[in-house]
Every structure is written in structure tokens, then in C-alpha cells.
């Protein structure tokens, strides 16, 4: 296997890790409006991800940085062609981080309510836009012979990509509801399980349609295997949450995210960004990659740094593993 193939796999792993981890905290952000009934319950939900949400975003920075270094042509075409949606995602992530930090800085109800609105919308919009973006990457966009995107914003809002956005929204919200059930106690835990079951059923319908469409258009045997794993895991997660087995359900909902994203990358390879105008203008792991020497240096750096990051992040989740409830929230909040 060539180094550019290795780095395609590594970038896929980074995106898989990002969607697995950031997926449930996007879901928690959406659930602050759908699940929480009062300010105390919203505080409980926010506290379930309070120690980890910023660490989850490291995976996005790593994926973006790795793409820039390993596949500069892919990075340039992607960020120029998808400039507006990616800018909107970036703004949402900035405002979301500020909202988490600033919400409790002042006691006024209006102040806190406005930041809670910001958390909801800046969780919902990226959850949709990431699905739209990856739907377009897999489907193919208007790239010319100079490796430049020549389409417009309307081209990105096609039925396949919009369906992808709905799938990521519902899947992340389901993943977040299962996480909420896993991390809370009392009435909010019971309602999280009930809501997760309904969200799981909706996700199953949308995901089956999107993954089947993907398989029919670009799939092979490997992507079909990943699709089967995703569908079976999703059904298992729904059954497990219905039975009150939050741990199993969270593991299976996470496996659903992993398998679904893996399927998208399997259908994409060896392309990194197909052209819908001419197959010969596709960006591939070969024509979009950096030099072998650059990839070699990156491989050594990743081999040293990645285990340290994984150990630290795993330790963080272990430290903050206990459940919380409204009785942990002081009345002053």
C-alpha cells in the first residue's frame, strides 16, 4: 500500500472519530430544546458533554490539517467549492464554544436563554451541513480539468445531499439521546430513552434510503458490507434502548456512525473528490497528494502523537464517566 493510500485511510479514521464523538454532542445540543423541560434539565444535558465537547473538536482540526498536508489539491478544491457551507459550520462551531463558556457567566434569565438558543442552532446546523457536504463529495461535484470547482451553491443543494443532511441530523440526535440516557438519572433518563426510540425509528428509515442510494450509485462489495453493519447496528441500538440497555445501545449507535462513514469513504476510494463533469478530472489519492517525502514525515509524526492524544482523551472520558441528574444542579442555576 502506497503512503497516499495510507493517508486516505487515516483521514477517513479521523472523520469517523469526529462524527462518532462530535455526533453525540451535536445531538445533546439539539436535545436541549427537544428533551429538556426547564433550565435545570438543560443544564444537566450541557454538563454531560461539558468536559469533552472541546476535545471532540480536536478530531476535526486533525482531519482538516491532515487533508491540507497530505492532499493539498483536495483541500484547496474542497474549501474553495464549499466555501459558504464550511464557513457557516466554522461560525457555528465558534459561537457554540462561546455559548458553552458564556452561558453561566451572568445570572439573568434572558442572557442564559439566548445562549441556550445559540447552543441549539449551532448544534443543529452543522449536523445537517456535514451530511450535505459529504453527500456532495461522494456524489461528485463540478470540477474542471484545472482541479477547480466551477459549480455554485445551488448545485450543492441536490436531493441526495439534502437526504444526507437529514440522515446526519437524525442519526446524531439519536446518538445524543442514547448518550443522554447513558449519562443521566431520574425522569430525564426515562424520557431520553423514550425519545431515542422514536428518533431511532426515523433514523432507520432515512438512513436505509440514503445508504441504499449510495450503494446503488457507487458501491461495491466492501461498501455493501459496511452498509449491512450500519443497518444491523442501528436496529440493534433501537432494540437495546427499548430494553433499557443504554450501554449496549450507545456502543451500537456509535458503530452505526462508524460503519456509515466508512461506507462513504469506501465508495469514494480511490477518488477523494469526483468530478461530475468528466471522470478524467476526478481528484484521486494519486493526483491530489503531497510528495512521498512529505507523507513520510507526516507518518512519523502521526505515529508518535496519535497514541498520546488517544490515551489522554480516553482518560478524560473515564474521569467524567458518572451519571448526573437535576439534584446535582444548584438552585441558583
Amino acid at each position: 500500500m502506497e503512503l497516499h493510500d495510507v493517508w486516505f485511510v487515516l483521514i477517513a479514521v479521523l472523520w469517523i472519530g469526529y462524527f462518532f464523538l462530535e455526533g453525540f454532542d451535536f445531538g445533546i445540543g439539539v436535545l436541549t430544546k427537544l428533551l429538556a423541560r426547564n433550565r435545570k434539565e438543560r443544564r444537566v444535558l450541557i454538563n454531560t458533554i461539558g468536559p469533552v465537547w472541546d476535545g471532540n473538536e480536536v478530531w476535526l482540526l486533525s482531519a482538516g490539517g491532515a487533508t491540507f498536508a497530505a492532499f493539498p489539491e483536495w483541500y484547496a478544491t474542497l474549501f474553495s467549492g464549499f466555501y459558504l457551507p464550511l464557513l457557516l459550520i466554522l461560525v457555528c462551531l465558534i459561537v457554540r464554544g462561546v455559548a458553552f463558556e458564556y452561558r453561566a457567566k451572568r445570572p439573568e434569565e434572558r442572557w442564559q436563554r439566548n445562549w441556550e438558543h445559540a447552543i441549539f442552532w449551532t448544534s443543529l446546523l452543522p449536523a445537517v451541513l456535514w451530511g450535505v457536504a459529504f453527500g456532495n463529495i461522494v456524489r461528485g461535484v463540478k470540477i474542471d480539468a484545472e482541479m477547480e470547482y466551477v459549480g455554485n451553491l445551488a448545485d450543492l443543494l441536490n436531493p441526495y445531499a439534502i437526504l444526507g443532511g437529514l440522515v446526519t441530523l437524525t442519526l446524531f440526535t439519536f446518538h445524543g439521546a442514547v448518550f443522554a440516557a447513558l449519562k443521566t438519572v431520574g425522569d430525564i433518563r426515562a424520557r431520553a430513552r423514550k425519545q431515542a426510540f422514536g428518533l431511532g425509528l426515523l433514523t432507520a428509515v432515512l438512513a436505509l434510503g440514503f445508504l441504499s442510494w449510495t450503494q446503488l450509485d457507487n458501491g461495491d462489495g466492501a461498501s455493501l458490507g459496511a452498509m449491512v453493519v450500519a443497518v444491523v447496528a442501528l436496529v440493534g441500538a433501537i432494540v437495546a434502548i427499548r430494553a433499557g440497555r443504554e450501554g449496549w445501545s450507545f456502543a451500537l449507535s456509535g458503530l452505526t456512525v462508524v460503519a456509515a462513514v466508512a461506507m462513504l469513504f469506501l465508495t469514494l476510494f480511490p477518488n477523494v473528490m469526483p468530478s461530475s463533469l468528466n471522470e478524467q478530472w476526478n481528484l484521486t489519492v494519486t493526483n491530489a497528494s503531497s510528495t512521498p517525502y512529505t507523507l513520510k514525515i507526516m507518518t512519523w509524526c502521526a505515529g508518535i502523537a496519535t497514541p498520546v492524544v488517544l490515551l489522554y482523551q480516553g482518560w478524560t472520558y473515564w474521569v467524567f464517566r458518572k451519571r448526573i441528574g437535576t439534584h446535582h444542579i444548584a438552585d441558583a442555576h
Side-chain angles (χ1 to χ4, degrees):
M1 181 181 285
E2 300 288 339
L3 278 179
H4 51 65
D5 297 331
V6 171
W7 273 97
F8 178 86
V9 173
L10 291 176
I11 288 170
V13 169
L14 290 171
W15 280 109
I16 288 169
Y18 174 67
F19 287 134
F20 177 89
L21 297 171
E22 190 84 325
F24 69 73
D25 75 37
F26 280 148
I28 291 292
V30 174
L31 290 169
T32 57
K33 294 293 185 185
L34 302 184
L35 177 62
R37 291 178 174 174
N38 52 52
R39 293 172 67 190
K40 265 195 175 184
E41 290 191 350
R42 282 191 288 275
R43 181 70 177 180
V44 168
L45 290 177
I46 292 170
N47 282 4
T48 62
I49 60 172
V52 298
W53 68 266
D54 48 354
N56 294 343
E57 292 186 355
V58 170
W59 289 79
L60 173 62
L61 299 176
S62 300
T67 304
F68 172 77
F71 298 101
E73 293 290 351
W74 183 12
Y75 182 92
T77 304
L78 176 65
F79 278 77
S80 60
F82 292 20
Y83 182 80
L84 286 177
L86 292 178
L87 176 62
L88 182 55
I89 290 173
L90 177 61
V91 171
C92 284
L93 294 179
I94 293 171
V95 173
R96 187 167 178 265
V98 172
F100 282 133
E101 298 296 334
Y102 276 34
R103 178 191 172 278
K105 295 300 183 183
R106 289 172 55 179
E108 293 88 347
E109 182 177 352
R110 182 179 179 183
W111 171 271
Q112 296 192 4
R113 186 174 62 248
N114 287 340
W115 286 118
E116 287 165 1
H117 290 323
I119 290 171
F120 171 76
W121 286 108
T122 56
S123 298
L124 185 146
L125 289 174
V128 174
L129 291 174
W130 280 127
V132 173
F134 270 83
N136 278 293
I137 291 172
V138 172
R139 173 179 174 268
V141 291
K142 294 179 178 179
I143 299 173
D144 65 12
E146 303 299 322
M147 298 185 180
E148 294 182 1
Y149 178 73
V150 293
N152 54 47
L153 182 61
D155 294 326
L156 303 180
L157 300 177
N158 54 81
Y160 176 78
I162 291 172
L163 178 58
L166 294 175
V167 169
T168 50
L169 174 61
T170 55
L171 178 57
F172 291 167
T173 309
F174 169 66
H175 196 33
V178 174
F179 183 76
L182 180 65
K183 290 286 292 179
T184 58
V185 295
D187 181 56
I188 192 171
R189 175 187 177 190
R191 284 187 282 112
R193 288 200 312 226
K194 182 178 180 181
Q195 195 159 92
F197 180 73
L199 285 166
L201 294 177
L202 176 60
T203 302
V205 173
L206 294 174
L208 183 60
F210 178 73
L211 296 180
S212 298
W213 192 344
T214 304
Q215 179 64 26
L216 290 173
D217 275 357
N218 304 298
D220 56 15
S223 62
L224 179 60
M227 175 183 168
V228 171
V229 171
V231 172
V232 172
L234 180 56
V235 172
I238 296 169
V239 171
I241 198 66
R242 185 68 168 178
R245 303 296 297 272
E246 294 105 337
W248 277 104
S249 184
F250 181 72
L252 289 168
S253 68
L255 179 57
T256 303
V257 175
V258 170
V261 179
M263 179 190 177
L264 296 182
F265 277 94
L266 286 169
T267 60
L268 193 59
F269 185 81
N271 299 314
V272 294
M273 206 166 177
S275 171
S276 60
L277 299 178
N278 189 327
E279 287 186 2
Q280 301 203 355
W281 297 342
N282 290 354
L283 297 184
T284 68
V285 293
T286 303
N287 65 20
S289 70
S290 294
T291 64
Y293 182 73
T294 300
L295 297 178
K296 184 178 180 180
I297 296 298
M298 289 176 61
T299 304
W300 278 104
C301 293
I304 296 170
T306 302
V308 176
V309 174
L310 291 175
L311 286 172
Y312 173 76
Q313 193 161 25
W315 176 78
T316 303
Y317 275 91
W318 175 255
V319 169
F320 295 100
R321 66 189 182 277
K322 293 184 178 180
R323 296 176 182 267
I324 61 173
T326 53
H327 61 283
H328 294 113
I329 306 299
D331 290 335
H333 287 291

